Amino acid sequence: MDPGAERTQSNGHTKVAARDVNVYYGEKHALKTVDLDIRINEVTALIGPSGCGKSTFLRCINRMNDLIDGAKVTGSIVLDRQDIYDRNLDVVQLRARVGMVFQKPNPFPKSIFDNVAYGPRIHGLANTAGEIEEIVVTSLKRAGLFEEVKDRLEEPGTGLSGGQQQRLCIARAIAVSPEVILMDEPCSALDPIATAKVEELIDELRENFTIVIVTHSMQQAARVSQRTAFFHLGELIEVGDTESIFTNPSHKLTQGYITGRFG
Amino acid sequence: MPFITLLATLLALSAILYQLGKGRALRLSGGRPGVLHSLPTYYGSYVALWCALPAFLLVAVWIIIEPMALQALVLNSLPETVRQLPLARLSLITNEMRQLAASGDYRFASSPEARAAAEHYRDLHQIGFAAMAVLVLTAGIFGGRFALGRIRPALRARNRVEQAILFFLFVSSTLAIFTTIGIVLSLLFESLRFFSMVPVSDFLFGLSWSPQMAMRTDQVGSSGAFGAVPLFAGTLLISLIAMVVAVPTGLLSAIYMAEYANPRFRAVAKPLIEVLAGIPTVVYGFFAVVTVAPFLRDLGNQLHFSVSSESALATGIVMGVMIIPFISSLSDDVICDVPDALRHGAYGLGATRSETIRQVVLPAALPGIVGGILLAVSRAIGETMIVVMAAGLSAHLTANPFASVTTVTVQVVTLLVGDQEFDSPKTLSAFALGLVLFVVTLALNVVALKVVRKYRERYE
Amino acid sequence: MSDLVQQLSRSATADRVQARLKQRYAAERRFRAYGVVAIGLALLFLVTLLTSIIGKGSSAFFQNEIQLNITFEPAVIDSEGLRDPAAIAGADYQALIRTALGSLFPEDTDRASRRELIHLISQGAELELRKMVMNDPALIGTTRPVWLPVAAPVDQLLKGHMSRNTELGGQFNARELARIDHLTGQGLLAAKFNKWLFTQGDSRQPELAGLWGAVVGSFYSLLVTLALSFPLGVAAAVYLEEFAVKNRWTDIIEVNINNLAAVPSIVFGLLGLEIFLNVFGLPRSAPLVGGLALTLVSLPTIIIAARVALKAVPPWIREAALGLGASRLQMVTHHVLPLAMPGILTGTIIGMARAVGESAPLLMIGMVAFVVNIPATPLDPSTALPVQIYLWAASPERAFVERTSAAILVLLCFLAVMNATAIFLRKRYERRW
C-alpha cells in the first residue's frame, strides 16, 4: 500500500520522489522499502519513535549516509526527474541543491559572516565581495537573525546562544539557495522560546524552499508541516496531510503513537 | 662496598623488627585478632618503619653533608701557603685529592703534600663513615624498640603506616618540582659565575664565538670571544630547515591519515611513521654523516656548487625527518578531536572533502596544530646528538644553508666533554648556553601546552 | 525580496555549481595527492635510513680470519720451562706468528716483505694466542692450525669496502694483493662470525673493538633508572591521580611534569654534572650516575603514562572498594593499581626504551670515555650503547663505519624487542570498560 504516492498525483508538484528505498548499516536493515513523495513548497514532517528510520531517510535525500562506513542504500530517490543515487550524479552538486540543518547547531569556528558566506564562496555563487555581503545579509535576514547580530558579524559564530546558532546554521544553509532544506530535529537542543522562533522561520521559508523536517515533537509537526509521514521500525507506515494524520489516522500504529501510547 | 653492607644490615634489622611487631600484636590480641584495630601485618610494618625511616634519613643527610664537610676539614688542615692559592688551583687540588682517595692508589700523586692530603682525606672519610654507621644502626634499633613498646590493640597501626606511605607518595610527586629547581639552580649558579667574567650583553649580543682561545686564563690577551649570536643563528637556521621539512610532511601525512586513509592503510602506515620517532637520535646523526651529507655534497659538486660536508642543510633535513612523526601524531590527534558535526555541516552545504578540511577542519584544529609545532620547535632547538655529529664546530654567522654552522647544544657538548675547569669562562659558558636553552625551550613548552590545553577544552 | 538570493534560486544554483565543479575536483585530487606524497616521503626516509644502515652494518657481524699453522715454540713462550704465568704472559707471541707466516711464504725473506706479512694480521692475534696458552699451557710444544683475525684493512678489502686500486684509496700493492688472493684461494682466509663484537670492550683496533662493554654499561644504567623511576613514577602518579586535591600546588606539579617531559635531555645532563658530580662528588663516567640522569629523563614519561592508565580505571571500581570499607590506600593497592598495571608497565617500557637510546645526558656526565674493560659494577667507568655509536662514528677508520652500523643494528634490535613487548602487553591485557 502506498497512500503517499497515490495522493501526490492529485495535489501539488512533487519535488522529491523516493521509491523502494532500503538502507542497511552493515547487517542492520535500517530502512525498509520506503516510498515517499515530497511536494514542492511544503513542509513535510517525518515523525516516529527513536530508531524508526526517519533520520536515516532524511540523510538519504542529500546522501549524508555516504559518510557512514558500511552504509548501503538501494532503491531510487528522484529529485526533479534526476535519480540522486545515479552514478553520474555529483554529490557536491546535490548537496548544494539539498541543504541540511543538523540536530545540534554546528556553526564553524569562524565569524558569523564567514559562516554564512562559506557556502556561496565554495560554490562560486558570488563574484564580488559586495555580492557575498548581499547574500549574507539577505540570508541572515531571512533566518530572522540579522537584527540580533548585525553589529557583530565579525564575531565567532560559536559565541551565539543555542537558538541563534541554529538560526545561523539555517542562514548558512539558505545562503546557497538550495531547492530543498533538510532539518534533522533542528529544535531538539533549543529552549521553547528559541524553538518558537525557529518554527516561525520554517513556516516563512516554505514560500521559497521545499522543507523536510524530522521531529520528535508531534506538536511541532502539527504546527509547522503541511504533510506528515509516520515511520515505525524502519517502515513508512502512513503519510498524508498533517491535519488528517493527526485528526484521523488510518493506521493503528499511527494512532497509538500520536495519542502517546508508545514512543 | 661497606656502604652496601650497611644498607643490607638496616634492611635485615627492619625485617626482624617487622616480625617482632607482628608477633607482639598477635600475642596482645590473645588469639582473637578481632580485638586489634588493624591487621597484624600493619603492626609489623609500623615497627619496621620506625626502625628504617630515621636510619635512612640519617644516611641521606650524611651523603649530602659528608663531601662538603670533609673537604672543608681537609682544606683547613692544609698548610697556609696552599690555602692562599686562588680558588681555581684549590679546586684542582681537592679534585686530585678526592680521586686519589677514591682509587686508593697514591702512586700518581703529583706531590707529597697531595698524597698526604689524600691520605688524610681518606682517613677522615673512614672515621666519618664508621661513626655514621654506628649512629644509624643505633637509631634504627631505638626507633624499633620505641615502636614495639607502643603496640596496643587499640593502636591505629594501619592509619600510621598509610600516613607514612602517603607521605612517600606526596614526596615522589614533588620530585618534578625539585628537578626543575635543581636545573634552574645549577644552571644559574655556574652562569652567574660566567657572567661575572663575561658581561651578559657581550654574551647575548656578541657576534663572535671562539671559546677555545681562553684555554688558559693566565695567557695574555686570550680572553676568548663569547658572543653567542652565531650559535643562536646556527640553531635557528638548522631548526628552520628541520621545520620546513617536518611541518608540511607531518601535517599532510596526518591529514591524509585522519581524513582519507582507509583503516587498513592507517593501521600499517601510522605505526611505520611512528617508528621514525623511536629511532635514537644518535642513529639519525650517523645517518646524516654517512649518507645524507655526502649525498648533498656530491649533488652540489655535480651542479658546480659548493656544499659543506657539515652543511646546515643535511643536518636540518635529518632533524626534520626525526620530527615528522612528532608533528604527524600530534596533528592527527588534534584533527581527530575536531567534532564530526563541523565536518557534516560543511558536507551538508556541498563542500568537497578537501574544502571541508582546508576551510573548516584545519582552522578549527589550528591552535592545537600550532601548539604541536611549537613543541616540535622546542625539540629541534634542544636536539643534541644529530647536530653534535653532523653540524660544524666553528661558529659562522651565516644564513646560507649550504655552509657549516654550529649550534648551542654542539657547543655545550664540546665545551664539557673532556677536561673541565670550573673556573674558566670556557667551561662555564656551557652552563650559560644551557641556561639560554632551558629558558627558551621552557617558554616554548609553556606556551605550547597552554595553547593545546585551551584547544582541548574547547571541544570537551 | 528581489535580490541576489532570489535570482540565484532554483536551477541557477545548480548551474553555477556545475560550472566550477571540474576545477574543484581537480583541487581535491591535488590535495589528496599531497597527502600521499607526504606519507610516501616519510616512509622513503625510513626505508633509506634502515637500508643504509643494514647495508653498511651487516658485514660487521663477520670478520675475516686467517688460518695459520702455529708452532707453540717452548723456547719462545717459556724458555725456562717453569710454566710461570708471568713469563707466559710476557712472551713474544708475534714471533710465533712471524714464523708461521714465513712458512706460508718462504720466498718472502726481505724486510719489506716481512713487514707486509705481519701487517696482514691483527694485533689481536697475539692476545688471542696468549689467551690460548694461558688457558691451556699443555699447548706449549705442539703445532696446530689456529684461526686468527686479520688486520682491519685486509678485512675491509675482502668485504669489498676498499678498492684494490691504490689510486682509488686502496692500501695494498700488487704483491700484497697477490698474497691475499693466494691465501683466499687456498681457503686459508675466510669470513667467520665476529665474536669480538659481542665479547670485547672498546679498542683502537677496529677488528678488536667490541660492544660488550657498552652493553653492560647500558644495562647497569638502565637497572638504576628502572629501580628509581618505576617506583617514584608510579608513586607520583598515584598521588596526583588518587589522593591530591586539585589546587594551585597540584597545578604547579602538573605544569612541571609536562614541562620536564619536553625539556631537552642535554639539560638533564648539565643538572647531573653539576649536582651528582660536582656537589655530591659521585664518580665520573659511572653507569650509576648515568642511570640517575636517565631517571630524570624518563620519569615524566612514566608519570604521564601511569596517570593515563590510572584514569582509565572506571570510578565504580573505587566506589565498590570504598563501599566495602577499604581505606583509600587499600582501594588503590588492591584494586586500582593491579588494573592499571598493564598500562603502567607499557608506559614504563616505552620510557625505558627512550632511556636506552638517549646519549646527550651521558656525554655530560662523562660516560663518553674510551673504556676497554668491561665494567664490573655500576661504579666503574663505562660507556653506553648509543654513546659507543657516537664514539665509533667519530673514528676516522673505514672499518669503524661498519662497526658503527652494526652497533646501531644491535641497539635497534634492543629497542624493537622492548617496544614489541610493550605492544604485546597492551594488546594482551588491554581492557575496555
Side-chain angles (χ1 to χ4, degrees):
Chain A
M1 191 180 93
D2 183 11
E6 237 165 64
R7 280 204 222 158
T8 321
Q9 306 305 321
S10 51
N11 291 356
H13 170 62
T14 300
K15 185 72 187 170
V16 180
R19 289 294 175 272
D20 196 20
V21 174
N22 284 279
V23 178
Y24 305 85
Y25 294 132
E27 292 294 297
K28 196 180 164 233
H29 196 172
L31 209 58
K32 297 166 189 163
T33 48
V34 170
D35 293 334
L36 179 62
D37 286 358
I38 288 157
R39 294 183 197 160
I40 196 159
N41 291 26
E42 274 190 5
V43 177
T44 305
L46 311 182
I47 62 170
S50 299
C52 67
K54 54 192 191 299
S55 282
T56 304
F57 179 72
L58 189 79
R59 288 168 164 265
C60 287
I61 304 176
N62 69 347
R63 290 182 51 178
M64 286 301 270
N65 280 331
D66 290 11
L67 300 173
I68 298 165
D69 284 331
K72 200 181 98 193
V73 181
T74 65
S76 78
I77 296 179
V78 175
L79 171 68
D80 285 347
R81 292 191 304 279
Q82 190 174 24
D83 186 350
I84 67 169
Y85 280 91
D86 188 63
R87 280 193 349 143
N88 295 320
L89 179 121
D90 190 275
V91 70
V92 165
Q93 201 180 10
L94 169 71
R95 289 181 191 148
R97 293 173 64 190
V98 183
M100 187 154 189
V101 175
F102 297 82
Q103 190 169 358
K104 237 184 93 194
N106 56 352
F108 301 134
K110 298 167 179 276
S111 71
I112 294 171
F113 186 93
D114 285 342
N115 259 286
V116 183
Y118 181 71
R121 274 186 186 141
I122 57 167
H123 293 302
L125 299 182
N127 299 319
T128 65
E131 283 178 12
I132 289 271
E133 193 170 341
E134 196 182 337
I135 294 178
V136 170
V137 170
T138 318
S139 306
L140 283 171
K141 276 185 180 153
R142 294 175 121 192
L145 190 61
F146 187 67
E147 288 306 315
E148 293 162 58
V149 300
K150 65 181 174 194
D151 301 325
R152 44 178 175 144
L153 288 176
E154 290 313 314
E155 283 174 31
T158 41
L160 296 174
S161 73
Q164 288 172 325
Q165 283 189 8
Q166 194 60 301
R167 278 181 285 148
L168 177 64
C169 290
I170 294 174
R172 189 175 71 185
I174 61 185
V176 186
S177 301
E179 296 155 42
V180 181
I181 299 178
L182 310 176
M183 297 187 172
D184 191 356
E185 301 189 31
C187 302
S188 64
L190 306 184
D191 62 63
I193 295 172
T195 301
K197 279 199 173 153
V198 171
E199 285 178 1
E200 210 175 299
L201 173 60
I202 293 171
D203 200 46
E204 285 167 16
L205 292 174
R206 178 163 66 94
E207 197 183 310
N208 293 306
F209 304 94
T210 304
I211 294 172
V212 186
I213 178 170
V214 164
T215 175
H216 247 105
S217 143
M218 276 167 297
Q219 289 84 344
Q220 186 172 57
R223 281 194 299 266
V224 301
S225 71
Q226 283 70 52
R227 280 168 49 88
T228 297
F230 173 66
F231 285 75
H232 185 253
L233 294 177
E235 286 180 80
L236 174 63
I237 303 297
E238 184 172 1
V239 60
D241 291 339
T242 300
E243 210 172 298
S244 60
I245 288 269
F246 278 91
T247 52
N248 186 20
S250 55
H251 201 287
K252 240 175 42 218
L253 279 169
T254 320
Q255 199 173 14
Y257 182 68
I258 59 177
T259 52
R261 266 189 284 157
F262 70 92
Chain B
M1 217 47 211
F3 193 74
I4 292 172
T5 318
L6 175 67
L7 294 189
T9 316
L10 263 181
L11 282 181
L13 190 64
S14 306
I16 294 169
L17 283 164
Y18 170 85
Q19 288 302 337
L20 286 178
K22 193 172 149 189
R24 187 171 158 81
L26 275 174
R27 250 193 312 349
L28 285 175
S29 72
R32 289 173 300 131
V35 303
L36 293 173
H37 169 269
S38 315
L39 294 173
T41 48
Y42 281 107
Y43 292 91
S45 308
Y46 173 74
V47 179
L49 279 177
W50 263 106
C51 159
L53 280 188
F56 278 110
L57 211 64
L58 277 174
V59 174
V61 169
W62 182 79
I63 287 178
I64 293 170
I65 290 179
E66 195 249 12
M68 298 181 239
L70 218 55
Q71 188 166 327
L73 278 175
V74 176
L75 278 182
N76 270 335
S77 72
L78 287 175
E80 185 65 26
T81 48
V82 178
R83 274 189 287 153
Q84 293 307 315
L85 285 172
L87 202 68
R89 292 288 311 281
L90 217 53
S91 79
L92 267 184
I93 291 175
T94 51
N95 265 343
E96 188 194 349
M97 185 174 79
R98 235 187 242 172
Q99 268 159 19
L100 285 174
S103 67
D105 188 352
Y106 304 103
R107 279 177 301 170
F108 304 112
S110 60
S111 64
E113 289 81 16
R115 185 186 172 137
E119 280 172 346
H120 183 47
Y121 182 93
R122 193 198 49 187
D123 291 345
L124 280 179
H125 173 77
Q126 282 174 348
I127 294 168
F129 182 82
M132 185 271 293
V134 171
L135 188 68
V136 161
L137 288 177
T138 324
I141 291 168
F142 269 93
R145 275 203 49 184
F146 169 74
L148 269 179
R150 287 190 37 155
I151 290 186
R152 311 262 181 285
L155 178 76
R156 300 181 162 211
R158 199 199 71 228
N159 305 37
R160 297 294 164 81
V161 172
E162 288 190 348
Q163 268 168 13
I165 294 176
L166 216 57
F167 183 72
F168 166 70
L169 297 183
F170 170 74
V171 170
S172 304
S173 77
T174 58
L175 215 63
I177 292 182
F178 285 116
T179 309
T180 309
I181 293 175
I183 290 174
V184 171
L185 283 187
S186 51
L187 292 180
L188 213 56
F189 178 66
E190 303 290 1
S191 298
L192 286 178
R193 282 176 62 191
F194 173 69
F195 289 132
S196 70
M197 302 178 207
V198 176
V200 183
S201 54
D202 285 10
F203 174 72
L204 284 181
F205 305 114
L207 297 181
S208 161
W209 177 268
S210 56
Q212 311 305 358
M213 286 171 60
M215 270 299 257
R216 275 176 38 214
T217 38
D218 51 336
Q219 266 176 334
V220 186
S222 65
S223 57
F226 290 99
V229 170
L231 310 188
F232 300 152
T235 307
L236 287 182
L237 179 62
I238 289 179
S239 305
L240 186 75
I241 296 169
M243 297 324 277
V244 167
V245 173
V247 171
T249 319
L251 192 55
L252 288 169
S253 309
I255 290 171
Y256 190 84
M257 295 280 185
E259 302 279 340
Y260 286 107
N262 64 34
R264 287 232 322 269
F265 179 80
R266 197 182 147 92
V268 175
K270 203 173 144 71
L272 275 182
I273 289 184
E274 272 161 20
V275 166
L276 284 173
I279 293 175
T281 54
V282 66
V283 177
Y284 281 107
F286 182 68
F287 179 60
V289 174
V290 300
T291 307
V292 179
F295 172 75
L296 288 178
R297 196 191 50 215
D298 295 347
L299 197 71
N301 282 343
Q302 278 181 8
L303 302 172
H304 304 290
F305 196 71
S306 153
V307 178
S308 161
S309 54
E310 293 174 335
S311 66
L313 189 62
T315 317
I317 288 176
V318 172
M319 193 190 277
V321 173
M322 179 199 85
I323 290 176
I324 288 173
F326 200 71
I327 300 230
S328 79
S329 72
L330 263 168
S331 309
D332 194 21
D333 290 352
V334 168
I335 289 171
C336 288
D337 277 353
V338 173
D340 266 347
L342 284 183
R343 290 189 185 85
H344 289 176
Y347 291 141
L349 288 171
T352 63
R353 246 172 213 267
S354 66
E355 283 161 357
T356 307
I357 295 163
R358 276 179 301 163
Q359 293 156 11
V360 177
V361 177
L362 284 188
L366 195 62
I369 293 173
V370 169
I373 291 177
L374 286 181
L375 280 179
V377 171
S378 129
R379 198 162 242 220
I381 290 176
E383 169 48 39
T384 306
M385 293 318 288
I386 296 180
V387 284
V388 166
M389 293 168 83
L393 278 182
S394 50
H396 303 293
L397 189 53
T398 170
N400 176 6
F402 305 109
S404 146
V405 295
T406 191
T407 73
V408 173
T409 46
V410 172
Q411 291 305 315
V412 173
V413 170
T414 42
L415 292 170
L416 287 182
V417 168
D419 291 331
Q420 301 155 355
E421 309 160 67
F422 275 84
D423 54 333
S424 92
K426 179 183 166 239
T427 297
L428 293 177
S429 66
F431 285 87
L433 289 175
L435 185 65
V436 172
L437 190 65
F438 179 70
V439 169
V440 170
T441 52
L442 186 74
L444 279 170
N445 297 340
V446 170
V447 173
L449 290 173
K450 266 228 167 86
V451 171
V452 171
R453 191 196 273 195
K454 264 245 170 69
Y455 167 78
R456 286 265 151 80
E457 278 164 4
R458 178 132 64 112
Y459 292 118
E460 244 155 39
Chain C
M1 272 210 233
S2 63
D3 49 42
L4 217 73
V5 177
Q6 213 82 57
Q7 291 163 26
L8 278 171
S9 60
R10 299 291 180 279
S11 59
T13 296
D15 291 346
R16 297 188 82 150
V17 171
Q18 179 86 50
R20 281 170 45 92
L21 265 184
K22 235 176 117 177
Q23 195 188 333
R24 286 170 65 194
Y25 277 128
E28 170 75 23
R29 276 191 301 276
R30 274 200 305 279
F31 189 73
R32 217 185 145 111
Y34 297 151
V36 176
V37 169
I39 292 178
L41 213 59
L43 295 182
L44 179 74
F45 277 128
L46 180 66
V47 171
T48 316
L49 192 150
L50 290 181
T51 47
S52 139
I53 285 170
I54 292 173
K56 287 194 170 68
S58 51
S59 57
F61 293 103
F62 298 94
Q63 162 81 37
N64 281 291
E65 297 186 19
I66 185 169
Q67 194 190 43
L68 288 179
N69 242 337
I70 298 282
T71 306
F72 294 93
E73 198 66 62
V76 176
I77 301 170
D78 189 19
S79 49
E80 291 160 27
L82 299 171
R83 297 290 187 264
D84 172 21
I88 294 179
D92 180 11
Y93 290 95
Q94 207 193 45
L96 303 182
I97 297 171
R98 273 199 303 266
T99 319
L101 279 169
S103 65
L104 272 178
F105 298 98
E107 65 278 16
D108 292 329
T109 47
D110 57 302
R111 279 181 63 129
S113 296
R114 302 303 287 264
R115 205 169 50 240
E116 282 166 10
L117 276 177
I118 197 69
H119 279 164
L120 291 176
I121 314 290
S122 161
Q123 293 180 18
E126 301 164 35
L127 305 175
E128 194 70 12
L129 287 179
R130 182 171 68 188
K131 206 162 72 190
M132 282 174 74
V133 177
M134 301 279 279
N135 284 345
D136 183 12
L139 281 174
I140 298 171
T142 63
T143 299
R144 57 177 59 205
V146 180
W147 284 98
L148 292 170
V150 298
V154 181
D155 189 45
Q156 292 300 299
L157 181 84
L158 290 170
K159 283 172 178 169
H161 295 323
M162 187 197 284
S163 170
R164 297 173 67 91
N165 188 341
T166 39
E167 281 164 23
L168 295 173
Q171 285 181 16
F172 298 104
N173 59 35
R175 225 168 26 171
E176 289 173 296
L177 289 174
R179 282 195 204 107
I180 292 170
D181 291 340
H182 173 71
L183 289 170
T184 318
Q186 294 215 312
L188 295 176
L189 256 180
K192 306 253 165 174
F193 177 71
N194 186 351
K195 59 180 191 240
W196 287 273
L197 188 63
F198 295 100
T199 53
Q200 299 303 121
D202 200 1
S203 167
R204 299 276 184 227
Q205 260 72 48
E207 70 273 14
L208 301 178
L211 279 177
W212 188 240
V215 169
V216 173
S218 268
F219 174 75
Y220 283 141
S221 304
L222 216 60
L223 212 61
V224 174
T225 308
L226 185 64
L228 288 174
S229 63
F230 180 69
L232 290 175
V234 173
V238 165
Y239 181 79
L240 291 175
E241 216 40 67
E242 305 288 335
F243 293 98
V245 195
K246 196 110 185 70
N247 58 22
R248 267 190 84 86
W249 176 245
T250 45
D251 267 358
I252 293 175
I253 294 180
E254 284 230 40
V255 170
N256 254 298
I257 291 173
N258 287 333
N259 279 327
L260 285 180
V263 162
S265 55
I266 191 172
V267 172
F268 291 109
L270 288 172
L271 169 76
L273 170 61
E274 185 67 19
I275 304 280
F276 300 142
L277 297 191
N278 287 356
V279 176
F280 289 160
L282 291 169
R284 266 178 81 79
S285 311
L288 172 72
V289 184
L292 287 173
L294 292 179
T295 300
L296 299 179
V297 176
S298 58
L299 202 51
T301 319
I302 294 180
I303 296 179
I304 291 171
R307 289 189 66 178
V308 171
L310 289 170
K311 262 201 193 101
V313 176
W316 53 262
I317 300 257
R318 297 182 177 80
E319 284 156 15
L322 292 179
L324 290 171
S327 72
R328 282 175 74 86
L329 202 65
Q330 284 170 329
M331 164 197 96
V332 170
T333 50
H334 298 168
H335 299 283
V336 180
L337 261 187
L339 289 171
M341 209 29 101
I344 296 176
L345 285 179
T346 307
T348 308
I349 294 174
I350 289 170
M352 288 294 112
R354 260 194 70 185
V356 176
E358 193 62 77
S359 17
L362 303 184
L363 299 188
M364 295 293 95
I365 54 110
M367 279 182 81
V368 62
F370 174 71
V371 181
V372 177
N373 296 330
I374 314 291
T377 74
L379 287 169
D380 293 339
S382 160
T383 58
L385 207 39
V387 181
Q388 193 67 64
I389 292 169
Y390 165 70
L391 285 170
W392 282 357
S395 304
E397 286 98 335
R398 177 65 184 75
F400 269 119
V401 171
E402 177 191 87
R403 308 254 148 183
T404 314
S405 308
I408 288 175
L409 288 177
V410 171
L411 177 60
L412 290 182
C413 279
F414 277 124
L415 291 177
V417 169
M418 291 175 88
N419 282 303
T421 313
I423 291 169
F424 171 77
L425 267 178
R426 185 180 295 164
K427 286 257 149 71
R428 174 80 178 70
Y429 294 104
E430 191 179 46
R431 207 187 277 252
R432 294 227 173 261
W433 302 97

